[in-house]
Amino acid sequence: MTSSFFAECAWLGGDTVTANVLITVDAGRITSVSAGADCPAGARRLAGLAMPGVANAHSHVFHRAIRGRGQQGVDSFWSWRDLMYSVAGTLNPDSLYELALATYAEMSLAGVTSVGEFFYVHHDPDGRPYANPNIMGETVARAAEDAGLRITLLDTLYLQGGVDGREVAGVQKRFSDGSWEQWAARVGQLKDTATFRSGAAIHSVRAVPRPALAPVADFARANGMPLHAHVSEQPAENQESLDVYGLTPTKLLHEAGVLGADMTAVHATHLTEADIAAYGSTGTNICMCCTTERDLADGVGPAGALLAAGAGLCVGSDAHMMIDLLEEGRAIELDHRLVTGRRGHVGVAQIAESLTSGGARSLGWDAGSIAPGKLADFTVIDLLSPRTAGAATGEMLPHVIFAATGADVRTVVRGGVVVVDEGRNLRVPNTGQALDAAIGKIMASL
């Protein structure tokens, strides 16, 4: 079925914005884009600035339950992790679905059209596979579809409790398949759809032993899957890797053949010059999760140096201390200004690309630009909010990138179908109430 959208203003790439853009869509893909057009009868008018759909390249959906609960009395990443583990230990398919549905609806309200779910709560609380061994991953996939998102399920390998090879313990038993071969056999049962695709993830060099790194990368590439890994989020992780292997986590992954244009290193905060060069030479994607780095006092990653070396950038809301991808994007530049004392590390168009095409590339979706042949995913920003007023007569793209928030998202379209209209998710209309109810049930079970 053919439909059309008329964007009063649209970002089609580069540093400028184009007025009066007519976009035609058929079977969920863009068939034509015409600038300087008139709005025909029957076209859906997109009031504001239309951008390609925003991609959230790194999510741990169940972390949403502890937003605000680790701001007092939790003094480090490791103590925060204990709090997070307490929630992971309580989840079942029903409670996970309710929380994921509401959290993904919150994401859609912030303009997200696709999400990369870095997922490792695979089994029951004792580490035993469910009758359907993929029920937990399939649950978050169903929640994403029901909330109106595309999802790349980055099914995560987790085999050990530390770089030193200690066994998983406690809640970590839920995460482990026992071997990379058993993990691959389970993941191989997942089937892609128009809005779901399976991906692979190495949790970290802490959780995956060296001999399993190359096989996971080979499995992902043999099956055309995006590949992600947590890398160098904490200095302690780097030191443990150096102590055990004599290599940084990046060097360890590089030697195993993991890096590449189909791979995304999440965080990549504490890097050596050699690490940066390795990411650049391989065209690896870097997913920056700035609001999480701030909240956990992790540090500020070298975004400008990574870009200059040839790496790609995307963004994620990670632990969901907040879900505002516009903030994630501008924080790449703004946080770097704070630690360097100068401006101009990452340009406005590069930030916009990290939100859209960079994320789409990381997650394996043929999206991220408003162009013929691409998936018809759009995010529309209100230009008349108190934050964006004046953008229409000024430098529109910089104004939106550096001042708009997720609350300014007006309309979201996935595959040519409106998911968010006038700031309301049409599938989960009472998103705040749904979140409150889902979180309340989980926290009452602790």
Side-chain angles (χ1 to χ4, degrees):
M1 179 178 177
T2 302
S3 58
S4 57
F5 296 85
F6 181 80
E8 295 178 353
C9 301
W11 179 65
L12 304 179
D15 294 319
T16 60
V17 168
T18 302
N20 301 326
V21 177
L22 179 64
I23 308 162
T24 60
V25 174
D26 185 56
R29 288 187 177 269
I30 299 169
T31 54
S32 68
V33 178
S34 303
D38 295 323
C39 182
R44 169 66 189 251
R45 182 179 286 269
L46 302 177
L49 173 61
M51 300 178 65
V54 170
N56 186 352
H58 190 68
S59 163
H60 296 295
V61 71
F62 73 91
H63 290 193
R64 176 61 181 85
I66 60 171
R67 179 187 293 175
R69 287 177 161 84
Q71 300 300 339
Q72 298 185 87
V74 179
D75 61 357
S76 71
F77 168 88
W78 306 103
S79 54
W80 171 87
R81 189 180 73 162
D82 291 339
L83 174 63
M84 179 268 288
Y85 276 179
S86 70
V87 171
T90 72
L91 295 171
N92 60 55
D94 290 338
S95 63
L96 177 60
Y97 174 79
E98 291 181 12
L99 179 61
L101 175 68
T103 303
Y104 290 145
E106 181 185 4
M107 284 186 200
S108 77
L109 295 176
V112 173
T113 57
S114 60
V115 60
E117 185 58 41
F118 198 106
F119 191 73
Y120 49 82
V121 188
H122 304 307
H123 307 301
D124 78 10
D126 294 320
R128 296 182 298 245
Y130 289 98
N132 172 1
N134 283 308
I135 190 170
M136 295 294 271
E138 290 174 356
T139 292
V140 295
R142 177 164 59 92
E145 168 60 31
D146 291 349
L149 300 186
R150 301 184 193 280
I151 184 170
T152 300
L153 182 68
L154 298 159
D155 198 294
T156 304
L157 180 65
Y158 198 115
L159 297 178
Q160 61 188 25
V163 180
D164 58 5
R166 76 191 76 138
E167 292 185 359
V168 293
V171 71
Q172 292 174 339
K173 293 178 181 178
R174 300 195 75 172
F175 310 160
S176 178
D177 287 289
S179 70
W180 76 262
E181 293 94 341
Q182 290 175 294
W183 166 84
R186 179 178 56 74
V187 175
Q189 298 176 35
L190 295 167
K191 304 299 181 185
D192 291 357
T193 70
T195 56
F196 166 83
R197 66 172 304 165
S198 52
I202 293 164
H203 181 275
S204 59
V205 301
R206 288 184 286 110
V208 178
R210 187 177 194 175
L213 298 175
V216 173
D218 291 343
F219 173 84
R221 288 171 179 142
N223 290 279
M225 294 176 171
L227 175 63
H228 287 218
H230 291 135
V231 186
S232 293
E233 181 177 6
Q234 285 283 321
E237 173 190 330
N238 287 3
Q239 189 58 54
E240 288 174 11
S241 183
L242 289 166
D243 290 344
V244 173
Y245 299 117
L247 302 170
T248 66
T250 297
K251 181 66 172 175
L252 186 64
L253 293 170
H254 195 22
E255 286 194 356
V258 174
L259 305 190
D262 56 355
M263 187 266 176
T264 299
V266 182
H267 302 301
T269 303
H270 302 281
L271 303 179
T272 67
E273 290 185 5
D275 292 340
I276 293 169
Y279 288 126
S281 65
T282 55
T284 299
N285 306 295
I286 308 296
C287 183
M288 309 202 79
C289 306
C290 296
T291 62
T292 296
E293 318 299 3
R294 287 180 197 164
D295 189 272
L296 298 179
D298 285 342
V300 177
L306 285 161
L307 276 174
L313 288 186
C314 52
V315 299
S317 59
D318 190 14
H320 311 314
M321 281 72 174
M322 63 188 305
I323 297 177
D324 189 333
L325 279 297
L326 287 161
E327 175 63 20
E328 300 290 351
R330 63 175 160 262
I332 297 173
E333 165 67 14
L334 294 178
D335 290 359
H336 218 40
R337 291 180 185 179
L338 283 174
V339 298
T340 63
R342 60 184 179 83
R343 303 173 117 207
H345 303 275
V346 183
V348 171
Q350 290 172 316
I351 294 172
E353 288 168 5
S354 74
L355 292 166
T356 55
S357 58
R361 180 177 62 250
S362 170
L363 299 180
W365 291 107
D366 189 18
S369 61
I370 299 177
K374 296 294 186 180
L375 290 166
D377 296 352
F378 316 127
T379 300
V380 186
I381 310 297
D382 184 5
L383 297 178
L384 292 174
S385 82
R387 290 162 294 279
T388 59
T393 56
E395 295 182 300
M396 188 182 296
L397 187 64
H399 188 136
V400 166
I401 291 297
F402 281 95
T405 73
D408 298 319
V409 172
R410 183 185 184 100
T411 307
V412 175
V413 178
R414 186 200 67 178
V417 177
V418 176
V419 174
V420 171
D421 190 24
E422 298 294 335
R424 181 171 176 260
N425 185 297
L426 300 179
R427 301 177 179 212
V428 189
N430 298 313
T431 301
Q433 292 178 17
L435 277 164
D436 194 60
I439 293 168
K441 288 181 184 178
I442 288 172
M443 300 312 292
S445 70
L446 294 182

